[in-house]
mmCIF file of all heavy atoms in Angstrom:
data_model
loop_
_atom_site.group_PDB
_atom_site.id
_atom_site.type_symbol
_atom_site.label_atom_id
_atom_site.label_comp_id
_atom_site.label_asym_id
_atom_site.label_seq_id
_atom_site.Cartn_x
_atom_site.Cartn_y
_atom_site.Cartn_z
ATOM 1 N N ARG A 1 98.604 -162.358 19.406
ATOM 2 C CA ARG A 1 99.098 -161.652 18.214
ATOM 3 C C ARG A 1 99.998 -162.567 17.401
ATOM 4 O O ARG A 1 99.573 -163.653 17.041
ATOM 5 C CB ARG A 1 99.728 -160.331 18.630
ATOM 6 C CG ARG A 1 98.691 -159.485 19.406
ATOM 7 C CD ARG A 1 99.090 -158.111 19.770
ATOM 8 N NE ARG A 1 98.003 -157.500 20.537
ATOM 9 C CZ ARG A 1 98.005 -156.260 20.993
ATOM 10 N NH1 ARG A 1 99.053 -155.475 20.768
ATOM 11 N NH2 ARG A 1 96.965 -155.806 21.671
ATOM 12 N N LEU A 2 101.238 -162.197 17.133
ATOM 13 C CA LEU A 2 102.091 -163.069 16.326
ATOM 14 C C LEU A 2 102.871 -164.077 17.159
ATOM 15 O O LEU A 2 103.672 -164.845 16.622
ATOM 16 C CB LEU A 2 103.053 -162.227 15.476
ATOM 17 C CG LEU A 2 102.390 -161.392 14.375
ATOM 18 C CD1 LEU A 2 103.443 -160.696 13.528
ATOM 19 C CD2 LEU A 2 101.479 -162.239 13.498
ATOM 20 N N ASN A 3 102.649 -164.080 18.464
ATOM 21 C CA ASN A 3 103.251 -165.089 19.339
ATOM 22 C C ASN A 3 104.765 -165.191 19.151
ATOM 23 O O ASN A 3 105.351 -166.270 19.203
ATOM 24 C CB ASN A 3 102.602 -166.459 19.079
ATOM 25 C CG ASN A 3 102.860 -167.461 20.188
ATOM 26 O OD1 ASN A 3 102.975 -167.089 21.356
ATOM 27 N ND2 ASN A 3 102.954 -168.731 19.821
ATOM 28 N N GLY A 4 105.399 -164.030 18.899
ATOM 29 C CA GLY A 4 106.849 -163.990 18.765
ATOM 30 C C GLY A 4 107.381 -164.317 17.384
ATOM 31 O O GLY A 4 108.597 -164.293 17.165
ATOM 32 N N ILE A 5 106.476 -164.606 16.427
ATOM 33 C CA ILE A 5 106.895 -164.962 15.069
ATOM 34 C C ILE A 5 107.213 -163.692 14.278
ATOM 35 O O ILE A 5 106.567 -162.650 14.442
ATOM 36 C CB ILE A 5 105.805 -165.767 14.349
ATOM 37 C CG1 ILE A 5 105.411 -166.988 15.181
ATOM 38 C CG2 ILE A 5 106.238 -166.161 12.949
ATOM 39 C CD1 ILE A 5 106.539 -167.963 15.426
ATOM 40 N N ASP A 6 108.204 -163.775 13.396
ATOM 41 C CA ASP A 6 108.584 -162.648 12.551
ATOM 42 C C ASP A 6 107.400 -162.183 11.701
ATOM 43 O O ASP A 6 106.671 -162.995 11.125
ATOM 44 C CB ASP A 6 109.740 -163.072 11.639
ATOM 45 C CG ASP A 6 110.112 -162.008 10.631
ATOM 46 O OD1 ASP A 6 110.711 -160.992 11.035
ATOM 47 O OD2 ASP A 6 109.784 -162.186 9.434
ATOM 48 N N GLY A 7 107.214 -160.857 11.609
ATOM 49 C CA GLY A 7 106.061 -160.308 10.908
ATOM 50 C C GLY A 7 106.045 -160.605 9.423
ATOM 51 O O GLY A 7 104.977 -160.858 8.844
ATOM 52 N N ILE A 8 107.188 -160.581 8.774
ATOM 53 C CA ILE A 8 107.239 -160.882 7.343
ATOM 54 C C ILE A 8 106.861 -162.337 7.089
ATOM 55 O O ILE A 8 106.130 -162.657 6.142
ATOM 56 C CB ILE A 8 108.634 -160.575 6.758
ATOM 57 C CG1 ILE A 8 108.910 -159.065 6.772
ATOM 58 C CG2 ILE A 8 108.746 -161.120 5.338
ATOM 59 C CD1 ILE A 8 107.999 -158.251 5.857
ATOM 60 N N GLU A 9 107.324 -163.220 7.939
ATOM 61 C CA GLU A 9 106.951 -164.633 7.816
ATOM 62 C C GLU A 9 105.438 -164.791 7.917
ATOM 63 O O GLU A 9 104.816 -165.511 7.114
ATOM 64 C CB GLU A 9 107.645 -165.455 8.897
ATOM 65 C CG GLU A 9 107.290 -166.930 8.870
ATOM 66 C CD GLU A 9 107.968 -167.725 9.978
ATOM 67 O OE1 GLU A 9 108.988 -167.252 10.531
ATOM 68 O OE2 GLU A 9 107.478 -168.828 10.286
ATOM 69 N N ALA A 10 104.845 -164.119 8.889
ATOM 70 C CA ALA A 10 103.393 -164.189 9.050
ATOM 71 C C ALA A 10 102.679 -163.557 7.863
ATOM 72 O O ALA A 10 101.667 -164.088 7.377
ATOM 73 C CB ALA A 10 102.980 -163.496 10.343
ATOM 74 N N ALA A 11 103.180 -162.426 7.372
ATOM 75 C CA ALA A 11 102.544 -161.753 6.243
ATOM 76 C C ALA A 11 102.572 -162.617 4.988
ATOM 77 O O ALA A 11 101.616 -162.638 4.204
ATOM 78 C CB ALA A 11 103.235 -160.418 5.981
ATOM 79 N N LYS A 12 103.652 -163.357 4.778
ATOM 80 C CA LYS A 12 103.722 -164.280 3.638
ATOM 81 C C LYS A 12 102.628 -165.336 3.744
ATOM 82 O O LYS A 12 101.985 -165.680 2.742
ATOM 83 C CB LYS A 12 105.093 -164.951 3.586
ATOM 84 C CG LYS A 12 106.228 -164.054 3.124
ATOM 85 C CD LYS A 12 107.544 -164.823 3.090
ATOM 86 C CE LYS A 12 108.682 -163.970 2.570
ATOM 87 N NZ LYS A 12 109.973 -164.716 2.543
ATOM 88 N N GLU A 13 102.400 -165.829 4.947
ATOM 89 C CA GLU A 13 101.366 -166.844 5.135
ATOM 90 C C GLU A 13 99.974 -166.256 4.906
ATOM 91 O O GLU A 13 99.105 -166.905 4.322
ATOM 92 C CB GLU A 13 101.487 -167.461 6.519
ATOM 93 C CG GLU A 13 102.757 -168.273 6.704
ATOM 94 C CD GLU A 13 102.853 -168.948 8.051
ATOM 95 O OE1 GLU A 13 102.037 -168.636 8.952
ATOM 96 O OE2 GLU A 13 103.750 -169.800 8.213
ATOM 97 N N HIS A 14 99.771 -165.022 5.370
ATOM 98 C CA HIS A 14 98.471 -164.375 5.158
ATOM 99 C C HIS A 14 98.223 -164.141 3.673
ATOM 100 O O HIS A 14 97.094 -164.338 3.180
ATOM 101 C CB HIS A 14 98.414 -163.054 5.922
ATOM 102 C CG HIS A 14 98.169 -163.218 7.381
ATOM 103 N ND1 HIS A 14 97.326 -162.397 8.114
ATOM 104 C CD2 HIS A 14 98.651 -164.125 8.280
ATOM 105 C CE1 HIS A 14 97.297 -162.789 9.387
ATOM 106 N NE2 HIS A 14 98.096 -163.829 9.497
ATOM 107 N N TYR A 15 99.243 -163.726 2.959
ATOM 108 C CA TYR A 15 99.117 -163.507 1.516
ATOM 109 C C TYR A 15 98.828 -164.826 0.802
ATOM 110 O O TYR A 15 98.013 -164.882 -0.124
ATOM 111 C CB TYR A 15 100.405 -162.884 0.987
ATOM 112 C CG TYR A 15 100.404 -162.613 -0.499
ATOM 113 C CD1 TYR A 15 99.581 -161.632 -1.049
ATOM 114 C CD2 TYR A 15 101.225 -163.344 -1.356
ATOM 115 C CE1 TYR A 15 99.581 -161.374 -2.411
ATOM 116 C CE2 TYR A 15 101.230 -163.103 -2.722
ATOM 117 C CZ TYR A 15 100.407 -162.115 -3.244
ATOM 118 O OH TYR A 15 100.407 -161.863 -4.597
ATOM 119 N N ALA A 16 99.483 -165.878 1.233
ATOM 120 C CA ALA A 16 99.246 -167.191 0.636
ATOM 121 C C ALA A 16 97.819 -167.659 0.887
ATOM 122 O O ALA A 16 97.179 -168.265 0.023
ATOM 123 C CB ALA A 16 100.242 -168.208 1.194
ATOM 124 N N PHE A 17 97.304 -167.387 2.065
ATOM 125 C CA PHE A 17 95.943 -167.775 2.430
ATOM 126 C C PHE A 17 94.916 -166.972 1.636
ATOM 127 O O PHE A 17 93.904 -167.505 1.181
ATOM 128 C CB PHE A 17 95.749 -167.552 3.929
ATOM 129 C CG PHE A 17 94.452 -168.059 4.489
ATOM 130 C CD1 PHE A 17 94.099 -169.400 4.406
ATOM 131 C CD2 PHE A 17 93.587 -167.195 5.138
ATOM 132 C CE1 PHE A 17 92.906 -169.867 4.946
ATOM 133 C CE2 PHE A 17 92.396 -167.650 5.689
ATOM 134 C CZ PHE A 17 92.053 -168.987 5.589
ATOM 135 N N CYS A 18 95.188 -165.676 1.475
ATOM 136 C CA CYS A 18 94.245 -164.769 0.808
ATOM 137 C C CYS A 18 95.052 -163.647 0.177
ATOM 138 O O CYS A 18 95.401 -162.678 0.853
ATOM 139 C CB CYS A 18 93.245 -164.228 1.830
ATOM 140 S SG CYS A 18 92.107 -162.982 1.186
ATOM 141 N N ASN A 19 95.341 -163.759 -1.119
ATOM 142 C CA ASN A 19 96.203 -162.751 -1.742
ATOM 143 C C ASN A 19 95.575 -161.366 -1.777
ATOM 144 O O ASN A 19 96.279 -160.352 -1.811
ATOM 145 C CB ASN A 19 96.632 -163.189 -3.146
ATOM 146 C CG ASN A 19 95.474 -163.416 -4.095
ATOM 147 O OD1 ASN A 19 94.326 -163.581 -3.686
ATOM 148 N ND2 ASN A 19 95.763 -163.433 -5.382
ATOM 149 N N ASP A 20 94.228 -161.297 -1.706
ATOM 150 C CA ASP A 20 93.586 -159.990 -1.660
ATOM 151 C C ASP A 20 93.868 -159.253 -0.352
ATOM 152 O O ASP A 20 93.625 -158.043 -0.269
ATOM 153 C CB ASP A 20 92.070 -160.122 -1.842
ATOM 154 C CG ASP A 20 91.673 -160.244 -3.306
ATOM 155 O OD1 ASP A 20 92.476 -159.828 -4.162
ATOM 156 O OD2 ASP A 20 90.577 -160.762 -3.593
ATOM 157 N N ARG A 21 94.378 -159.968 0.643
ATOM 158 C CA ARG A 21 94.717 -159.283 1.899
ATOM 159 C C ARG A 21 95.766 -158.203 1.663
ATOM 160 O O ARG A 21 95.789 -157.183 2.366
ATOM 161 C CB ARG A 21 95.224 -160.304 2.929
ATOM 162 C CG ARG A 21 95.555 -159.703 4.285
ATOM 163 C CD ARG A 21 94.329 -159.081 4.909
ATOM 164 N NE ARG A 21 94.635 -158.339 6.131
ATOM 165 C CZ ARG A 21 94.995 -157.058 6.157
ATOM 166 N NH1 ARG A 21 95.113 -156.383 5.021
ATOM 167 N NH2 ARG A 21 95.237 -156.452 7.303
ATOM 168 N N ILE A 22 96.620 -158.410 0.664
ATOM 169 C CA ILE A 22 97.590 -157.387 0.270
ATOM 170 C C ILE A 22 97.151 -156.683 -1.003
ATOM 171 O O ILE A 22 97.179 -155.452 -1.089
ATOM 172 C CB ILE A 22 98.989 -158.003 0.094
ATOM 173 C CG1 ILE A 22 99.572 -158.362 1.471
ATOM 174 C CG2 ILE A 22 99.928 -157.038 -0.636
ATOM 175 C CD1 ILE A 22 100.946 -158.979 1.434
ATOM 176 N N ASP A 23 96.690 -157.433 -1.992
ATOM 177 C CA ASP A 23 96.377 -156.850 -3.290
ATOM 178 C C ASP A 23 95.237 -155.848 -3.229
ATOM 179 O O ASP A 23 95.185 -154.908 -4.028
ATOM 180 C CB ASP A 23 96.022 -157.958 -4.289
ATOM 181 C CG ASP A 23 97.207 -158.853 -4.603
ATOM 182 O OD1 ASP A 23 98.346 -158.470 -4.269
ATOM 183 O OD2 ASP A 23 96.991 -159.944 -5.178
ATOM 184 N N GLN A 24 94.297 -156.031 -2.281
ATOM 185 C CA GLN A 24 93.199 -155.078 -2.127
ATOM 186 C C GLN A 24 93.093 -154.514 -0.711
ATOM 187 O O GLN A 24 92.233 -153.671 -0.460
ATOM 188 C CB GLN A 24 91.870 -155.739 -2.505
ATOM 189 C CG GLN A 24 91.795 -156.185 -3.957
ATOM 190 C CD GLN A 24 90.378 -156.494 -4.393
ATOM 191 O OE1 GLN A 24 89.482 -155.653 -4.267
ATOM 192 N NE2 GLN A 24 90.148 -157.694 -4.906
ATOM 193 N N GLY A 25 93.957 -154.972 0.177
ATOM 194 C CA GLY A 25 93.821 -154.567 1.572
ATOM 195 C C GLY A 25 94.960 -153.740 2.129
ATOM 196 O O GLY A 25 95.000 -153.484 3.339
ATOM 197 N N THR A 26 95.877 -153.318 1.266
ATOM 198 C CA THR A 26 96.971 -152.456 1.718
ATOM 199 C C THR A 26 97.106 -151.274 0.766
ATOM 200 O O THR A 26 96.600 -151.291 -0.362
ATOM 201 C CB THR A 26 98.318 -153.208 1.762
ATOM 202 O OG1 THR A 26 98.647 -153.651 0.440
ATOM 203 C CG2 THR A 26 98.258 -154.405 2.701
ATOM 204 N N ARG A 27 97.810 -150.253 1.216
ATOM 205 C CA ARG A 27 98.039 -149.072 0.381
ATOM 206 C C ARG A 27 99.265 -149.216 -0.510
ATOM 207 O O ARG A 27 99.305 -148.692 -1.612
ATOM 208 C CB ARG A 27 98.195 -147.833 1.280
ATOM 209 C CG ARG A 27 96.900 -147.410 1.967
ATOM 210 C CD ARG A 27 97.128 -146.280 2.969
ATOM 211 N NE ARG A 27 97.804 -146.772 4.156
ATOM 212 C CZ ARG A 27 97.174 -147.315 5.200
ATOM 213 N NH1 ARG A 27 95.857 -147.442 5.173
ATOM 214 N NH2 ARG A 27 97.840 -147.733 6.248
ATOM 215 N N THR A 28 100.272 -149.953 -0.020
ATOM 216 C CA THR A 28 101.539 -150.061 -0.759
ATOM 217 C C THR A 28 101.665 -151.370 -1.529
ATOM 218 O O THR A 28 102.592 -151.522 -2.324
ATOM 219 C CB THR A 28 102.725 -149.963 0.218
ATOM 220 O OG1 THR A 28 102.674 -151.080 1.134
ATOM 221 C CG2 THR A 28 102.680 -148.665 1.002
ATOM 222 N N TYR A 29 100.755 -152.339 -1.274
ATOM 223 C CA TYR A 29 100.794 -153.663 -1.897
ATOM 224 C C TYR A 29 102.088 -154.396 -1.558
ATOM 225 O O TYR A 29 102.638 -155.123 -2.373
ATOM 226 C CB TYR A 29 100.642 -153.553 -3.428
ATOM 227 C CG TYR A 29 99.511 -152.654 -3.851
ATOM 228 C CD1 TYR A 29 99.763 -151.439 -4.482
ATOM 229 C CD2 TYR A 29 98.185 -153.012 -3.601
ATOM 230 C CE1 TYR A 29 98.722 -150.604 -4.849
ATOM 231 C CE2 TYR A 29 97.143 -152.174 -3.975
ATOM 232 C CZ TYR A 29 97.416 -150.971 -4.590
ATOM 233 O OH TYR A 29 96.379 -150.144 -4.956
ATOM 234 N N ARG A 30 102.518 -154.243 -0.316
ATOM 235 C CA ARG A 30 103.766 -154.855 0.123
ATOM 236 C C ARG A 30 103.558 -155.681 1.386
ATOM 237 O O ARG A 30 102.752 -155.341 2.251
ATOM 238 C CB ARG A 30 104.832 -153.788 0.361
ATOM 239 C CG ARG A 30 105.328 -153.150 -0.923
ATOM 240 C CD ARG A 30 106.284 -152.014 -0.648
ATOM 241 N NE ARG A 30 106.878 -151.540 -1.903
ATOM 242 C CZ ARG A 30 107.560 -150.400 -2.010
ATOM 243 N NH1 ARG A 30 107.725 -149.622 -0.946
ATOM 244 N NH2 ARG A 30 108.074 -150.041 -3.173
ATOM 245 N N LEU A 31 104.348 -156.740 1.489
ATOM 246 C CA LEU A 31 104.292 -157.597 2.670
ATOM 247 C C LEU A 31 104.610 -156.832 3.934
ATOM 248 O O LEU A 31 104.011 -157.060 4.985
ATOM 249 C CB LEU A 31 105.287 -158.750 2.512
ATOM 250 C CG LEU A 31 104.980 -159.829 1.484
ATOM 251 C CD1 LEU A 31 106.206 -160.711 1.268
ATOM 252 C CD2 LEU A 31 103.788 -160.680 1.929
ATOM 253 N N SER A 32 105.564 -155.918 3.858
ATOM 254 C CA SER A 32 106.026 -155.207 5.057
ATOM 255 C C SER A 32 104.932 -154.348 5.660
ATOM 256 O O SER A 32 104.887 -154.165 6.883
ATOM 257 C CB SER A 32 107.268 -154.372 4.750
ATOM 258 O OG SER A 32 107.043 -153.525 3.637
ATOM 259 N N GLU A 33 104.031 -153.799 4.835
ATOM 260 C CA GLU A 33 102.926 -153.015 5.389
ATOM 261 C C GLU A 33 101.998 -153.910 6.205
ATOM 262 O O GLU A 33 101.596 -153.559 7.322
ATOM 263 C CB GLU A 33 102.137 -152.325 4.279
ATOM 264 C CG GLU A 33 100.960 -151.509 4.818
ATOM 265 C CD GLU A 33 100.066 -150.934 3.742
ATOM 266 O OE1 GLU A 33 100.550 -150.725 2.609
ATOM 267 O OE2 GLU A 33 98.881 -150.698 4.035
ATOM 268 N N LEU A 34 101.659 -155.064 5.644
ATOM 269 C CA LEU A 34 100.821 -156.004 6.384
ATOM 270 C C LEU A 34 101.528 -156.469 7.650
ATOM 271 O O LEU A 34 100.922 -156.538 8.723
ATOM 272 C CB LEU A 34 100.476 -157.203 5.502
ATOM 273 C CG LEU A 34 99.671 -158.329 6.150
ATOM 274 C CD1 LEU A 34 98.355 -157.819 6.721
ATOM 275 C CD2 LEU A 34 99.427 -159.459 5.151
ATOM 276 N N ALA A 35 102.819 -156.775 7.544
ATOM 277 C CA ALA A 35 103.588 -157.258 8.697
ATOM 278 C C ALA A 35 103.592 -156.234 9.821
ATOM 279 O O ALA A 35 103.458 -156.579 11.003
ATOM 280 C CB ALA A 35 105.017 -157.577 8.272
ATOM 281 N N ALA A 36 103.747 -154.951 9.471
ATOM 282 C CA ALA A 36 103.778 -153.895 10.486
ATOM 283 C C ALA A 36 102.462 -153.817 11.244
ATOM 284 O O ALA A 36 102.440 -153.606 12.458
ATOM 285 C CB ALA A 36 104.100 -152.550 9.832
ATOM 286 N N GLY A 37 101.357 -154.000 10.544
ATOM 287 C CA GLY A 37 100.059 -153.985 11.210
ATOM 288 C C GLY A 37 99.803 -155.229 12.039
ATOM 289 O O GLY A 37 99.256 -155.150 13.142
ATOM 290 N N LEU A 38 100.227 -156.372 11.534
ATOM 291 C CA LEU A 38 99.996 -157.630 12.250
ATOM 292 C C LEU A 38 100.702 -157.669 13.597
ATOM 293 O O LEU A 38 100.227 -158.314 14.534
ATOM 294 C CB LEU A 38 100.473 -158.811 11.405
ATOM 295 C CG LEU A 38 99.622 -159.202 10.201
ATOM 296 C CD1 LEU A 38 100.298 -160.319 9.415
ATOM 297 C CD2 LEU A 38 98.226 -159.621 10.627
ATOM 298 N N ALA A 39 101.826 -156.978 13.701
ATOM 299 C CA ALA A 39 102.599 -157.014 14.943
ATOM 300 C C ALA A 39 101.777 -156.545 16.136
ATOM 301 O O ALA A 39 102.015 -156.976 17.271
ATOM 302 C CB ALA A 39 103.853 -156.158 14.796
ATOM 303 N N ASP A 40 100.780 -155.678 15.898
ATOM 304 C CA ASP A 40 99.977 -155.147 17.000
ATOM 305 C C ASP A 40 98.486 -155.416 16.781
ATOM 306 O O ASP A 40 97.645 -154.664 17.249
ATOM 307 C CB ASP A 40 100.230 -153.644 17.148
ATOM 308 C CG ASP A 40 99.669 -153.082 18.455
ATOM 309 O OD1 ASP A 40 99.703 -153.802 19.468
ATOM 310 O OD2 ASP A 40 99.172 -151.928 18.451
ATOM 311 N N SER A 41 98.162 -156.484 16.067
ATOM 312 C CA SER A 41 96.759 -156.821 15.790
ATOM 313 C C SER A 41 96.387 -158.131 16.465
ATOM 314 O O SER A 41 97.154 -159.091 16.424
ATOM 315 C CB SER A 41 96.534 -156.963 14.277
ATOM 316 O OG SER A 41 96.719 -155.731 13.605
#
């Protein structure tokens, strides 16, 4: 999973890699929503 890394830090990297991961892949269009899911993905 996130290997102990902070979820917001990881979410920023995911957004940088693919901005549609948040812009089209979340309900709130926020980093924290993605981070919350990544913690257990």
Side-chain angles (χ1 to χ4, degrees):
R1 303 186 182 182
L2 293 185
N3 197 32
I5 306 299
D6 174 73
I8 292 294
E9 179 181 340
K12 287 181 177 180
E13 293 183 349
H14 282 221
Y15 180 68
F17 187 60
C18 175
N19 60 342
D20 278 339
R21 182 61 187 88
I22 288 180
D23 294 346
Q24 297 195 55
T26 62
R27 290 173 287 274
T28 63
Y29 313 112
R30 290 175 173 167
L31 290 168
S32 53
E33 179 186 334
L34 176 57
L38 286 176
D40 192 35
S41 295

